[in-house]
Amino acid sequence: MYDHLTLISGRAHPDLAADIADYLGVPLAAIELEDFPDGEISVKLNQNIRGRDVFLIQPTGPPVNDNLMELLILIDTCMRASAERITVVVPYFGYARQDRKDSGRVPITSKLVANVISKAGADRVLTMDLHAAQIQGFFDLPVDHLYAAPILDDYFKSIDIPQSELVIVSPDEGSIKRALQHKENLGGTLAIVDKRRSSALHTEQANLIGGPIDGKTALIFDDMISTAGSIVGAAEVASNHGAREIYVGAAHGVFCGPALKRLAEAPIKEIVTTDSLPLRPGQRPDNLRSVSIAPLLGEAIRRIHRNESVSYLFD
């Protein structure tokens, strides 16, 4: 079934790559990845990939520049080694925040990164929960865009919260569509946190639209937790409006800057993210749980390799 399939892992998240390989029953390719003394990246494949269907597994999370550059070098290595097809598996796509010109003299960085990945020699992209769905259109090659929502919803279903006590909370107006999708799967009612920007660096979250939330369990969903400002602000609003318990679900746990300190001090019972990004040492507070996306990505890789439909996984 996998005679022509090759899995290659960069150094960004080797544990996830190993789990995907276990799901498929395919060993990871032998590869040497090292740094020269000046910081340049050295890559050498220790096996033949001529005519192979290659999948490069490399999220471009922190350190973003290092992981992105390593991905580009891996693509070039496989292209020059005569791989038949190169699919980049990027569970977390960095440089996604700037997806449009919202003021003068700024770049559209996500388009730039898409161009660079395409020009390096990639034939296809497999990713998950892009910060903005329109980034798929920045690539002039096929993109399979998966969603972590079913995995997160399955976890919260296992907690067995009665629908009469459940409120799905959108942390801002821009996340309403995501909250509605979770509400459709989990039931309950919908509430929206009214987030308003008070300055270029600060936002205010005080009002709650919808509900009621008093005495109920609140589930707050977002695509990522970066500095945790929005999530913690939403949790505090829910707590101030009487939520009995508060859970947080996010596709990507970036956890940079003051995120962990904020989350530790917030009125949150449990934080659930996927393992799209590795947790660095000391980044696992007691109330943080990680759910695996290896079966989701592994099944997508299997279907792409066999030229089968992938829409089953994200419809």
Side-chain angles (χ1 to χ4, degrees):
M1 183 185 301
Y2 302 124
D3 284 348
H4 299 286
L5 173 65
T6 297
L7 297 178
I8 297 176
S9 174
R11 291 178 291 182
H13 202 344
D15 291 341
L16 176 60
D19 290 342
I20 293 172
D22 287 343
Y23 177 86
L24 292 170
V26 175
L28 291 169
I31 187 170
E32 295 178 21
L33 280 162
E34 299 176 341
D35 292 328
F36 289 109
D38 62 355
E40 293 180 6
I41 298 168
S42 169
V43 175
K44 182 181 179 182
L45 273 170
N46 290 327
Q47 67 182 63
N48 180 26
I49 63 166
R50 182 179 295 272
R52 307 282 293 187
D53 190 10
V54 173
F55 291 80
L56 298 175
I57 304 168
Q58 178 87 335
T60 52
V64 180
N65 296 334
D66 291 346
N67 289 330
L68 175 59
M69 193 66 209
E70 186 171 286
L71 173 63
L72 298 175
I73 295 172
L74 285 168
I75 295 170
D76 186 74
T77 302
C78 294
M79 183 268 295
R80 296 180 187 279
S82 301
E84 181 179 343
R85 180 173 66 176
I86 302 169
T87 301
V88 294
V89 182
V90 190
Y92 172 80
F93 184 81
Y95 280 114
R97 289 178 178 84
Q98 286 189 294
D99 57 2
R100 63 194 184 281
K101 288 194 69 172
D102 52 5
S103 63
R105 297 177 297 280
V106 297
I108 304 179
T109 321
S110 50
K111 172 59 175 170
L112 170 64
V113 172
N115 286 345
V116 172
I117 289 174
S118 300
K119 293 295 184 182
D123 298 300
R124 193 178 195 98
V125 174
L126 173 61
T127 188
M128 188 184 81
D129 282 278
L130 290 167
H131 189 61
Q134 65 264 26
I135 293 173
Q136 297 173 74
F138 293 169
F139 288 91
D140 294 322
L141 46 82
V143 177
D144 292 299
H145 184 208
L146 305 179
Y147 295 93
I151 298 173
L152 296 172
D153 289 344
D154 285 346
Y155 174 79
F156 287 114
K157 285 177 183 177
S158 71
I159 300 177
D160 198 23
I161 304 169
Q163 289 194 15
S164 61
E165 299 178 9
L166 180 62
V167 180
I168 307 299
V169 179
S170 174
D172 52 47
E173 292 84 348
S175 300
I176 294 175
K177 185 176 180 181
R178 180 183 300 106
L180 286 170
Q181 291 172 339
H182 287 288
K183 178 181 178 296
E184 183 177 345
N185 292 332
L186 297 172
T189 57
L190 177 69
I192 304 162
V193 174
D194 180 19
K195 183 172 78 171
R196 303 186 183 187
R197 185 166 295 279
S198 58
S199 70
L201 299 176
H202 299 93
T203 58
E204 294 180 355
Q205 295 156 291
N207 301 318
L208 192 71
I209 304 168
I213 200 171
D214 187 30
K216 297 189 176 183
T217 298
L219 302 187
I220 306 173
F221 291 99
D222 211 345
D223 63 326
M224 71 171 73
I225 302 176
S226 183
T227 60
S230 294
I231 283 291
V232 168
E236 290 174 347
V237 170
S239 178
N240 292 338
H241 282 76
R244 180 171 55 85
E245 289 181 335
I246 300 171
Y247 293 85
V248 166
H252 307 294
V254 184
F255 302 134
C256 57
L260 293 177
K261 182 176 184 295
R262 287 174 171 173
L263 291 169
E265 296 172 353
I268 299 172
K269 181 173 182 179
E270 192 169 49
I271 305 150
V272 184
T273 67
T274 75
D275 59 350
S276 63
L277 289 169
L279 286 173
R280 293 183 291 279
Q283 275 199 331
R284 188 175 287 278
D286 294 338
N287 63 341
L288 176 62
R289 180 179 293 272
S290 178
V291 292
S292 177
I293 57 171
L296 176 67
L297 293 175
E299 183 62 21
I301 290 171
R302 185 187 73 81
R303 288 171 175 266
I304 292 169
H305 175 64
R306 299 181 66 183
N307 294 315
E308 297 176 355
S309 173
V310 180
S311 61
Y312 164 81
L313 300 174
F314 55 79
D315 277 347

